[in-house]
Amino acid sequence: MDSSPWVRRALRAVVVVYLVLLVGWPVSLVVRGAFADGLETFQRALTDPSVVFALQLTAAVAVQVVLINTVFGVGISMLVVRYDFPGKALLNALLDLPLSVSPIVVGLSLVLVYGKNGWFGGALEDSGFQVIFAPPGIVLATAFVCLPLVIREVVPVLTELGTDEELAATSLGASWFQTFRRITLPAIKWAVVYGVVLTLARALGEFGAVKVVSGNFEGRTQTSTLLVEQRYQDFEQGTAYAVAFLLASVSVACIVAVTFLRSDDAAGPRTRRTAPRTAAPTEADA
Amino acid sequence: MTSTLAERPGRAARERGPAPAASRPRRARRTPNGPYRLTAASGLGLGVALVWFSALALIPLVAVLVETSVGGWPAFVAAVTQPQTAAALTLTVTQALAVTAVNVVMGTLIAWVLVRDRFPGKRLLEVLIDIPFALPTIVAGLVLLALYGPSGPLGIDVANTRAAVFLAFLFVTLPFVVRSVQPVLAELDRDVEEAAASLGATRSTTFRRVILPALAPAITAGAALSFARAISEYGALVLLSGNLPMRTEVGSVRILSYLENGQPEQAAAVASMLLLVSLLVIATIQLLQRRVARRG
């Protein structure tokens, strides 16, 4: 359907205006706000102990969540793709669930189980292990929210890979671990990298679930996103903008990196596959 | 994984695997030695994984349902029909539906322009579409306040109004329809459109009878995702909407205030209600999609 140049230009203009008004312009204002006084705002923010603590806490939580979710994600992907067991279809559906649950509901659900009056929370606190209103709760909430990200990257690649090479390795005497390290891991390497990067971006930015479980105690359980909210409401917009800019630049860099890596991925097979299709009519004509 | 969650770009392309796997000859990849039975070691692994998954997600979600059912049906009805809660739920659902409708139109249009048009700066637009995915939600709220808040350069101030809720939803759900329609549109065979045109179909007929039915499943999937995301949103509107009771308060804010006031049963009831609405709307959208596909 070739639209006329005028229609084409009009559609292009509508899309550009829409995206600039909704995303481009507002984002540029915050970037400008962060640099309004040059680098001074950043210097002031980064000497504030609460800000430093919040950034460190966010980084620590993100690293822990990435580690936990990568191990769990790769492990469960291998099990779901390679093995048959009762309830597999149900497990598959459940693994995607965290993506469609509201962050606030995630927080609520964790409080109901691990809170002081929760199912396990009382017993855990009696044995000296506080989950809710403490860092472990923040890690749990973030891990919950990010749970499917690694799995959804790894499962399609593992399915595609098949078992031929793994079987060959095993038949030649490789141990389970050797097969995994030399055959499986190199093949799923990029999927794992994508999953890790997406998890990292999401973990740095989690807000709702963390707000519910952390208690938001400045200098103890206040993560960077919670600090942004509090400082904005306390009319310290400079600090809020500076921390927001730091968080956003890391997250956006992660997502942009994945997008570009992936479009390079897709370019190869797609051009190859369309080639025969355009050739087909000429053969038919002849 | 389920097909309804085709959230990230290029899923079709991804399913063929990254470069190293795809560059190998494309022989038939049947797995002759299909899924194995569990061995002792893998069974143990599965057990550990399930324990962790249950502790992290399943038991807590069950706890929400159990907490909802503690007071029985009357308590649930009382909780969700309490005027302030009912107002919050109505606002959430109506704004989410409105945003989904806008996304269906604008998302398809954006995907169309990105796939069929060529112009300098297109790559930049691609990045703009991914930004709402990437931005922490609280930063998204901050970003919207910068242009549409009290000190915005346009002189439009939506802070603390219902328009703020709409705007926040619109921002965070922007990528869903675009990213699910884009790969399908790129794979669409243009021969069929040319055939339709050569048989005398007008542009609008071609669009309605040829293109739209092919895109319908992708649009539906994107619409379902953007609705589900909108009704569960919290971070992006917490600074923007002011959370005024009866006016700009949404469902997730209501859950949080119930929890903070020590009323976990009511919080769980609202949470279950949100989950229920989400399931209903996704099922309805899928039904509609099937009807559109059949008519095409």
Side-chain angles (χ1 to χ4, degrees):
Chain A
M1 199 174 78
D2 287 315
S3 15
S4 71
W6 284 108
V7 174
R8 187 173 284 243
R9 254 172 248 164
L11 291 180
R12 192 191 300 171
V14 169
V15 165
V16 169
V17 168
Y18 183 77
L19 289 178
V20 165
L21 280 179
L22 190 60
V23 185
W25 196 356
V27 169
S28 73
L29 284 176
V30 167
V31 174
R32 232 184 293 159
F35 289 102
D37 309 327
L39 289 173
E40 205 179 303
T41 326
F42 283 93
Q43 275 165 355
R44 210 171 335 116
L46 289 175
T47 49
D48 180 337
S50 299
V51 172
V52 175
F53 178 85
L55 289 172
Q56 280 170 344
L57 180 62
T58 297
V61 167
V63 168
Q64 289 176 57
V65 167
V66 163
L67 285 176
I68 294 172
N69 280 8
T70 307
V71 171
F72 173 78
V74 172
I76 200 124
S77 304
M78 301 271 299
L79 290 166
V80 163
V81 174
R82 294 282 188 260
Y83 294 94
D84 240 346
F85 48 87
K88 188 167 115 169
L90 180 68
L91 179 62
N92 247 333
L94 288 175
L95 284 173
D96 261 345
L97 197 63
L99 280 185
S100 39
V101 177
S102 166
I104 294 292
V105 177
V106 169
L108 168 73
S109 71
L110 289 172
V111 168
L112 289 177
V113 173
Y114 297 105
K116 207 171 177 182
N117 306 313
W119 291 2
F120 311 146
L124 282 171
E125 268 181 44
D126 289 343
S127 57
F129 188 68
Q130 195 186 358
V131 178
I132 300 303
F133 300 151
I138 303 177
V139 174
L140 274 186
T142 313
F144 187 152
V145 170
C146 302
L147 191 73
L149 297 174
V150 172
I151 302 172
R152 296 179 52 200
E153 296 298 321
V154 174
V155 162
V157 179
L158 267 183
T159 313
E160 164 82 9
L161 181 67
T163 52
D164 298 359
E165 285 120 13
E166 286 168 23
L167 276 178
T170 315
S171 74
L172 292 170
S175 71
W176 173 88
F177 182 70
Q178 277 176 318
T179 312
F180 177 74
R181 198 170 58 89
R182 308 284 284 269
I183 308 289
T184 317
L185 200 56
I188 61 171
K189 185 177 66 188
W190 282 107
V192 175
V193 170
Y194 293 153
V196 164
V197 173
L198 292 173
T199 305
L200 186 68
R202 186 72 212 265
L204 289 175
E206 183 46 40
F207 174 71
V210 169
K211 181 166 177 174
V212 179
V213 300
S214 76
N216 199 1
F217 302 119
E218 191 171 338
R220 282 206 295 132
T221 60
Q222 190 178 54
T223 63
S224 312
T225 47
L226 297 173
L227 181 120
V228 170
E229 184 203 16
Q230 195 217 342
R231 291 302 163 95
Y232 189 87
Q233 283 171 340
D234 292 348
F235 301 103
E236 289 183 47
Q237 296 195 354
T239 314
Y241 278 152
V243 176
F245 177 80
L246 286 177
L247 281 178
S249 48
V250 178
S251 300
V252 171
C254 286
I255 300 289
V256 169
V258 169
T259 311
F260 275 69
L261 284 172
R262 211 172 251 161
S263 60
D264 291 345
D265 258 11
R270 189 170 290 163
T271 42
R272 258 202 305 286
R273 223 156 45 94
T274 46
R277 196 188 282 161
T278 43
T282 39
E283 281 165 25
D285 289 347
Chain B
M1 302 280 104
T2 55
S3 57
T4 46
L5 286 159
E7 176 192 314
R8 298 291 315 164
R11 193 173 174 84
R14 227 173 349 124
E15 237 118 88
R16 287 192 297 274
S23 60
R24 261 177 263 135
R26 290 193 60 82
R27 65 204 146 86
R29 282 194 187 277
R30 285 172 296 114
T31 42
N33 307 289
Y36 314 122
R37 297 269 186 88
L38 286 174
T39 57
S42 56
L44 184 69
L46 183 65
V48 172
L50 285 183
V51 167
W52 170 245
F53 185 48
S54 306
L56 181 68
L58 293 185
I59 295 175
L61 287 178
V62 169
V64 174
L65 298 180
V66 170
E67 189 74 26
T68 309
S69 63
V70 164
W73 182 248
F76 175 75
V77 173
V80 297
T81 53
Q82 192 266 347
Q84 196 182 337
T85 309
L89 285 172
T90 315
L91 176 72
T92 313
V93 172
T94 48
Q95 298 292 351
L97 283 175
V99 162
T100 306
V102 173
N103 277 333
V104 163
V105 176
M106 285 311 294
T108 311
L109 181 62
I110 294 169
W112 178 272
V113 168
L114 288 179
V115 172
R116 293 287 169 93
D117 205 351
R118 273 170 201 282
F119 52 95
K122 209 170 90 170
R123 203 108 201 226
L124 189 69
L125 290 192
E126 293 270 3
V127 173
L128 282 188
I129 288 161
D130 273 335
I131 281 182
F133 263 144
L135 276 192
T137 50
I138 185 76
V139 180
L142 214 65
V143 158
L144 289 173
L145 264 178
L147 183 58
Y148 301 104
S151 52
L154 281 179
I156 303 171
D157 181 10
V158 300
N160 309 334
T161 68
R162 292 189 166 188
V165 176
F166 181 81
L167 190 65
F169 285 179
L170 198 62
F171 185 88
V172 295
T173 58
L174 166 71
F176 292 104
V177 174
V178 181
R179 291 307 187 209
S180 67
V181 171
Q182 216 178 350
V184 180
L185 194 57
E187 302 272 311
L188 211 63
D189 208 337
R190 296 186 80 158
D191 296 354
V192 186
E193 291 164 42
E194 277 155 29
S198 74
L199 292 170
T202 61
R203 277 198 198 107
S204 78
T205 313
T206 311
F207 183 77
R208 212 159 30 87
R209 304 290 292 270
V210 176
I211 300 173
L212 207 52
L215 295 185
I219 296 177
T220 314
L225 282 169
S226 71
F227 181 83
R229 175 69 204 263
I231 67 164
S232 58
E233 185 51 39
Y234 172 71
L237 45 74
V238 68
L239 292 177
L240 198 60
S241 75
N243 308 324
L244 306 172
M246 307 300 289
R247 284 194 49 232
T248 63
E249 197 180 39
V250 296
S252 49
V253 175
R254 204 69 199 114
I255 299 175
L256 190 59
S257 51
Y258 270 138
L259 189 64
E260 282 170 348
N261 294 334
Q263 296 173 285
E265 278 169 47
Q266 282 83 345
V270 181
S272 303
M273 194 68 197
L274 282 185
L275 288 176
L276 190 72
V277 171
S278 183
L279 284 178
L280 273 178
V281 169
I282 290 169
T284 315
I285 291 179
Q286 239 135 36
L287 267 178
L288 279 177
Q289 172 227 317
R290 242 172 257 163
R291 196 164 294 170
V292 171
R294 218 179 299 143
R295 208 183 46 194

